[in-house]
Amino acid sequence: MPLIIVTGHPASGKSTIVDRLAQKFAESQKECLVIRDDTYGSFSRKNYEFANKEKDLRSWIRSEVQQNLTKNKVVICDGLNYIKGYRYELFLAAKMSKTTYCVIQVTPSADTCHWLNEQKPEEERYSREIIDQLLMRYEKPDTKFRWEKPLFEVKIGKAEKALPAEIDDDMSIDLEYPAPRFANIFADEIVDWICNGTELTENQSTQTVPLAPTNFLHELDRCTQDVVTVLLNAQRTAVRGQNLTIPGASEGSNQVKFLKLRTLPELNRLRHQFVNMSKKDPMTDKERIITGFVDFLNCNLR
């Protein structure tokens, strides 16, 4: 169920880091599924040269993430994920699943990316031009946005050994960061957060709207329009303070107090407000619709 988004430069060692992290989850007895861009059926590094092919790839990754978010599985999305808005879409998928979530950022220098690319088998390499293009397109995560945190930044370089324990990973001295096999990937911190951190919660924008009957909107519009017509006709002969009875509403909640003459635009404005509110919580019964609208009018007519 938890979701980890890995984002970074091309040929930056992301997949090596993900493999190490997946091993850590396995040691913690947690099932882990890795969704990678290169498992897409027609994947090629050249896909990133064509907007339509890249769009299809992103759609496939998003679909795989949504389908595999379950309570018993950690999902790691291993790809470039370089577009801020796309990461937000993946965040919403995790939010709808009410799960824990984090982002791992892997953004070494261009020189390091080109060096790591040369270490790949020839058929898995990016062209130098594609790497440079993707580096220019990359939208760096920013923790001022809620969908970019918690953020774990993994520092990658060319050194074939880990940093000495006494050296701070955020060092200011001129030492080469470790290669992906040796880098500090914050495995313990990530596993702890994913297993014990705060779960995301849905708000109104991510809640699933209940399914309504196919004729719901027609019935809602007709019932509220009938109530408006009854009020306009009844107020012509009504006395101030009189209760106007609305046919079709529940007994005891079927009257609107007449305080002053109401115009059609005024009543229609309230009717549209009630209709928009009702779309979020569909009512299937005609009596409930009319009673709800009468209650709404009594609360808003002053």
Side-chain angles (χ1 to χ4, degrees):
M1 188 175 185
L3 175 62
I4 300 173
I5 295 178
V6 179
T7 174
H9 293 162
S12 57
K14 297 183 298 299
S15 294
T16 300
I17 291 165
V18 167
D19 289 341
R20 291 175 57 194
L21 188 58
Q23 180 61 37
K24 188 69 176 181
F25 277 109
E27 293 170 1
S28 303
Q29 307 299 311
K30 286 287 183 181
E31 183 183 357
C32 185
L33 172 68
V34 178
I35 297 173
R36 287 194 164 106
D37 54 5
D38 57 10
T39 55
Y40 177 53
S42 58
F43 177 79
S44 166
R45 306 289 177 193
K46 294 183 179 180
N47 285 359
Y48 292 105
E49 296 180 6
F50 306 98
N52 59 333
K53 292 184 178 181
E54 189 179 348
K55 184 177 179 180
D56 290 343
L57 173 60
R58 288 198 300 269
S59 296
W60 176 82
I61 292 174
R62 181 172 57 243
S63 175
E64 287 294 301
V65 169
Q66 292 170 337
Q67 291 178 32
N68 286 284
L69 282 175
T70 67
K71 292 185 178 180
N72 304 316
K73 190 186 302 177
V74 177
V75 176
I76 304 179
C77 182
D78 175 17
L80 295 179
N81 300 321
Y82 66 88
I83 300 173
K84 187 184 304 179
Y86 182 65
R87 293 196 295 268
Y88 177 65
E89 292 177 15
L90 296 175
F91 165 80
L92 290 182
K95 197 169 187 179
M96 291 179 70
S97 298
K98 300 178 182 178
T99 182
T100 49
Y101 164 93
C102 72
V103 178
I104 299 175
Q105 176 187 349
V106 189
T107 48
S109 66
D111 182 59
T112 299
C113 290
H114 286 296
W115 179 79
L116 288 170
N117 190 52
E118 292 300 316
Q119 316 306 310
K120 293 175 177 284
E122 188 170 351
E123 65 276 8
E124 296 181 11
R125 294 176 189 172
Y126 293 91
S127 70
R128 193 172 187 87
E129 293 75 18
I130 291 179
I131 290 180
D132 291 337
Q133 289 177 21
L134 290 171
L135 289 175
M136 292 178 63
R137 292 186 219 165
Y138 189 76
E139 298 176 1
K140 190 175 180 180
D142 188 340
T143 53
K144 74 180 181 182
F145 300 113
R146 64 188 183 282
W147 65 88
E148 307 277 38
K149 59 185 179 183
L151 177 66
F152 299 90
E153 184 178 3
V154 178
K155 306 289 181 121
I156 298 295
K158 303 178 185 178
E160 292 295 319
K161 60 180 180 180
L163 287 175
E166 64 272 11
I167 299 295
D168 187 353
D169 193 29
D170 290 326
M171 59 198 176
S172 57
I173 56 178
D174 187 18
L175 289 178
E176 181 67 70
Y177 285 112
R181 288 187 298 122
F182 304 99
N184 175 17
I185 63 171
F186 306 100
D188 292 331
E189 294 90 334
I190 292 172
V191 170
D192 181 61
W193 173 260
I194 289 298
C195 296
N196 305 308
T198 304
E199 295 181 344
L200 299 173
T201 56
E202 287 187 284
N203 54 22
Q204 196 174 56
S205 65
T206 53
Q207 287 175 351
T208 303
V209 178
L211 292 176
T214 54
N215 66 337
F216 164 69
L217 289 178
H218 173 73
E219 192 73 13
L220 177 64
D221 186 72
R222 188 172 64 83
C223 289
T224 53
Q225 185 62 63
D226 288 346
V227 171
V228 169
T229 302
V230 168
L231 286 175
L232 288 173
N233 291 331
Q235 71 178 3
R236 294 174 184 170
T237 57
V239 178
R240 191 183 299 272
Q242 179 182 342
N243 287 323
L244 306 180
T245 300
I246 307 297
S250 301
E251 189 69 32
S253 300
N254 61 344
Q255 295 183 327
V256 175
K257 184 176 285 294
F258 175 60
L259 301 175
K260 64 177 183 179
L261 285 173
R262 306 291 178 177
T263 63
L264 177 59
E266 181 182 8
L267 292 175
N268 269 337
R269 178 177 56 80
L270 293 172
R271 187 174 77 85
H272 291 148
Q273 288 179 10
F274 178 77
V275 167
N276 288 332
M277 289 171 51
S278 298
K279 290 177 183 177
K280 301 174 184 176
D281 185 18
M283 294 176 283
T284 58
D285 182 68
K286 179 179 178 180
E287 182 178 305
R288 286 186 60 202
I289 293 174
I290 297 174
T291 302
F293 188 37
V294 169
D295 290 340
F296 181 80
L297 290 173
N298 282 322
C299 291
N300 290 277
L301 288 176
R302 294 288 183 267

